[in-house]
């Protein structure tokens, strides 16, 4: 048996997704997610124009061999476009293998190491009352872990903070923007940023949250790479009294040595890696135990195979998973994460931003949510299928992540 077709489906049921569909000679279908937020068409082209023809006729069971063939065969190593494309192929092949075996994917990864997966929700608000309302909503839904993002006085809009702050049937923050009328964007929106104001404001917000919600609720915060190393150290130190589960992306992760400075100053647990795409991006961070959680997702890190290599490497150093789960990872990518989460020993927590009703009309999922915990389900394979008729009704519409500028106009990290 072999791979007969490999088709790329770009669709926008609520937001843009790039999905790979592999069909074998005996009619089995496997799905893979290759969504790279704001750069979707580059991965679609990599898959269509460079990989698809090399897959035809290959033995679909040779997953590791295919992964190495695509990774080493490219000559150009790593990078978000290459690794998202490899991820889609790899995930689709795992989906097929598990369907062939008649088992949910986690059974092929060693079986379940736990019964359910703790997730964290996204609460945000421009001011404390709206943030507190959002947190209360999630606590009432049974969540035991909540990410806290706050507006900053003097800044009109802060990345990661919803304008409505009402937890609802869908996510309360969508990072990529289209034009105001929903048509294609032609350039990113620009947002302003003020580090001193942020550093003054955030600890005060956490103090109020602890006062109102008590010591048990697990709290997280995403700093979105916006601090210099010494500013990052100051933030981590000032948040220590509020006992965070993690402080994420406190400084840009490509400067791995910068985390030494943060570590020297604070015991606040650190998470990073959502923009990484390979285990090599983490070498110093992991071997020197400079972080506590790895944030990569199968979608951006070479699929189930690439992610398993990373998670096993992290496990040797006592570092846990905190797999990236924003709405720009499709339900196919989310399912891949959940099967890994259930199987590995070093699971930490899973990010969960529920997809919109429209997205879930296109992607039929069998993972389940119950009072703050997810389970991948027991459908053979990944347990997610794309309805191509629904997908066809929602064409790609360009959307961009915003650009951050300091108050003097300098382009800044985010
Ligand atoms: O595409 C960018 C988003 O996925 C990212 O901003 C979300 O930081 C994020 C998170 O932690 O989910
Ligand atoms: Mg993040």
């Amino acid at each position: 048996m072999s791979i007969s077709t490999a088709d790329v489906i770009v669709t926008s049921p609520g937001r843009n997704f790039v999905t790979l569909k592999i069909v074998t000679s005996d009619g089995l279908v496997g799905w893979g997610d290759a969504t790279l937020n704001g750069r979707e068409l580059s991965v679609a082209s990599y898959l269509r124009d460079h990989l698809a023809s090399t897959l035809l006729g290959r033995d679909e069971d040779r997953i590791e061999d295919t992964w190495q063939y695509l990774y080493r065969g490219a000559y150009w190593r790593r990078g978000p476009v290459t690794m998202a494309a490899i991820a889609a192929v790899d995930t689709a092949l795992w989906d097929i293998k598990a369907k062939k075996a008649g088992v949910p994917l986690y059974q092929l990864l060693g079986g379940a190491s736990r019964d359910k997966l703790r997730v964290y929700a996204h609460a945000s608000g421009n001011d404390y009352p709206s943030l507190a309302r959002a947190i209360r909503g999630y606590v009432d839904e049974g969540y035991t872990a909540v990410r806290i993002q706050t507006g900053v006085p003097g800044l009109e809009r802060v990345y990661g903070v919803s304008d409505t702050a009402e937890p609802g049937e869908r996510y309360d923050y969508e990072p990529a923007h289209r034009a105001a009328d929903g048509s294609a964007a032609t350039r990113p929106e620009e947002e302003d940023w003020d580090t001193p104001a942020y550093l003054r404001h955030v600890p005060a917000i956490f103090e109020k949250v602890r006062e109102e919600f008590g010591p048990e609720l697990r709290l997280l915060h995403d700093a979105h790479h916006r601090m210099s190393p010494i500013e990052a150290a100051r933030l981590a130190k000032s948040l220590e009294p509020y006992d965070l589960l993690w402080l994420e992306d406190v400084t840009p992760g490509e400067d791995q040595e910068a985390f030494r400075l943060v570590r020297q100053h604070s015991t606040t647990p650190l998470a990073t890696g959502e923009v990484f795409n390979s285990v090599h991006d983490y070498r110093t961070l992991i071997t020197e135990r400079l972080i506590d959680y790895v944030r990569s997702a199968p979608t951006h890190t070479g699929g189930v195979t690439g992610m398993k290599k990373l998670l096993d490497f992290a496990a040797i150093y006592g570092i846990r998973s905190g797999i990236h789960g924003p709405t720009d990872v499709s339900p196919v990518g989310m399912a891949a994460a959940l099967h890994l989460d259930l199987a590995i020993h070093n699971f930490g927590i899973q990010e969960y931003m529920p997809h919109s009703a429209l997205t879930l009309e296109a992607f039929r999922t069998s993972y389940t949510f119950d009072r703050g915990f997810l389970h991948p389900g027991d459908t053979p394979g990944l347990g997610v299928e794309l309805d191509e008729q629904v997908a066809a009704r929602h064409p790609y519409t360009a959307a961009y992540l915003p650009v951050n500028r300091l108050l003097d106009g300098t382009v800044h990290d985010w």
Side-chain angles (χ1 to χ4, degrees):
M1 283 179 302
S2 62
I3 296 173
S4 295
T5 58
D7 293 314
V8 182
I9 300 156
V10 181
T11 179
S12 194
R15 69 165 352 278
N16 294 319
F17 296 108
V18 178
T19 308
L20 180 69
K21 177 185 184 185
I22 290 182
V23 183
T24 65
S25 52
D26 60 349
L28 282 173
V29 175
W31 299 101
D33 179 25
T35 307
L36 191 60
N37 203 6
R39 296 291 185 270
E40 295 86 0
L41 299 185
S42 54
V43 193
S45 164
Y46 195 106
L47 281 164
R48 270 189 196 124
D49 301 331
H50 302 289
L51 295 196
S53 61
T54 73
L55 297 174
L56 305 185
R58 293 183 70 83
D59 178 351
E60 74 269 14
D61 277 330
R62 296 181 62 160
I63 298 180
E64 177 70 21
D65 179 60
T66 301
W67 195 95
Q68 299 294 348
Y69 174 84
L70 298 178
Y71 179 78
R72 295 175 197 279
Y75 181 75
W76 308 106
R77 295 290 163 95
R78 302 150 63 190
V81 175
T82 298
M83 297 309 284
I86 294 175
V89 176
D90 180 81
T91 305
L93 295 185
W94 277 108
D95 190 19
I96 289 168
K97 194 183 272 293
K99 282 174 175 158
K100 209 185 278 188
V103 296
L105 174 57
Y106 70 82
Q107 292 293 5
L108 299 188
L109 302 174
S113 286
R114 57 197 53 77
D115 301 326
K116 55 186 183 175
L117 305 166
R118 186 189 306 277
V119 301
Y120 70 89
H122 281 223
S124 69
N126 271 323
D127 53 22
Y128 182 72
S130 57
L131 171 63
R133 250 197 335 274
I135 301 171
R136 178 64 57 203
Y138 288 118
V139 169
D140 290 348
E141 282 180 56
Y143 284 90
T144 58
V146 182
R147 186 184 98 157
I148 307 291
Q149 303 300 122
T150 173
V152 175
L155 296 183
E156 204 177 312
R157 213 156 123 191
V158 171
Y159 184 76
V161 177
S162 142
D163 291 335
T164 62
E166 296 297 339
E169 58 176 15
R170 55 170 285 166
Y171 48 85
D172 70 356
Y173 183 73
E174 171 54 58
H177 300 294
R178 296 178 174 166
D181 63 0
S183 62
T186 52
R187 67 189 55 157
E189 287 182 8
E190 301 199 0
E191 296 178 350
D192 51 7
W193 182 247
D194 180 356
T195 304
Y198 168 79
L199 290 176
R200 282 194 304 274
H201 189 63
V202 169
I205 289 291
F206 270 85
E207 186 174 5
K208 286 186 184 173
V209 171
R210 274 289 174 230
E211 259 170 40
E212 181 168 347
F213 293 92
E216 278 162 25
L217 185 63
R218 292 159 173 83
L219 300 180
L220 302 87
H221 179 64
D222 193 343
H224 292 298
H225 319 102
R226 289 177 293 212
M227 258 54 65
S228 72
I230 194 66
E231 290 164 347
R234 178 172 156 206
L235 180 64
K237 194 172 166 183
S238 64
L239 290 176
E240 256 173 33
Y242 313 112
D243 189 23
L244 270 61
L245 185 143
W246 80 41
L247 174 60
E248 176 184 345
D249 289 342
V250 72
T251 195
E254 67 265 31
D255 183 0
Q256 296 186 50
E257 290 74 17
F259 280 73
R260 290 187 188 133
L261 190 76
V262 186
R263 267 296 204 236
Q264 280 159 15
H265 288 279
S266 168
T267 57
T268 293
L270 302 174
T272 202
E274 70 180 40
V275 301
F276 293 174
N277 46 71
S278 150
V279 66
H280 299 290
D281 298 322
Y282 287 96
R283 266 177 196 271
T284 304
L285 292 171
I286 289 179
T287 57
E288 294 187 24
R289 301 173 207 269
L290 300 178
I291 55 171
D292 303 280
Y293 297 89
V294 294
R295 290 283 289 135
S296 293
T299 299
H300 304 125
T301 314
V304 173
T305 299
M307 197 67 196
K308 186 73 167 58
K309 292 179 198 299
L310 166 62
L311 293 168
D312 288 345
F313 182 51
I316 293 167
Y317 293 87
I319 295 168
R320 294 186 186 167
S321 71
I323 296 184
H324 195 207
T327 42
D328 46 284
V329 164
S330 89
V332 172
M334 186 68 182
L338 298 180
H339 286 281
L340 278 160
D341 285 339
L342 201 69
I344 57 172
H345 181 253
N346 56 328
F347 172 71
I349 197 163
Q350 172 65 49
E351 180 179 16
Y352 184 42
M353 270 174 104
H355 289 102
S356 69
L358 192 54
T359 298
L360 295 175
E361 196 187 317
F363 293 90
R364 308 266 159 75
T365 61
S366 54
Y367 51 80
T368 52
F369 173 80
D370 183 29
R371 305 280 309 158
F373 290 84
L374 279 168
H375 190 283
D378 284 309
T379 305
L382 283 170
V384 178
E385 307 286 331
L386 176 62
D387 182 327
E388 291 174 77
Q389 287 182 342
V390 177
R393 293 205 294 270
H394 300 285
Y396 168 80
T397 310
Y400 284 93
L401 289 161
V403 168
N404 242 3
R405 284 189 192 274
L406 297 177
L407 298 182
D408 68 359
T410 309
V411 173
H412 191 54
D413 291 303
W414 62 274

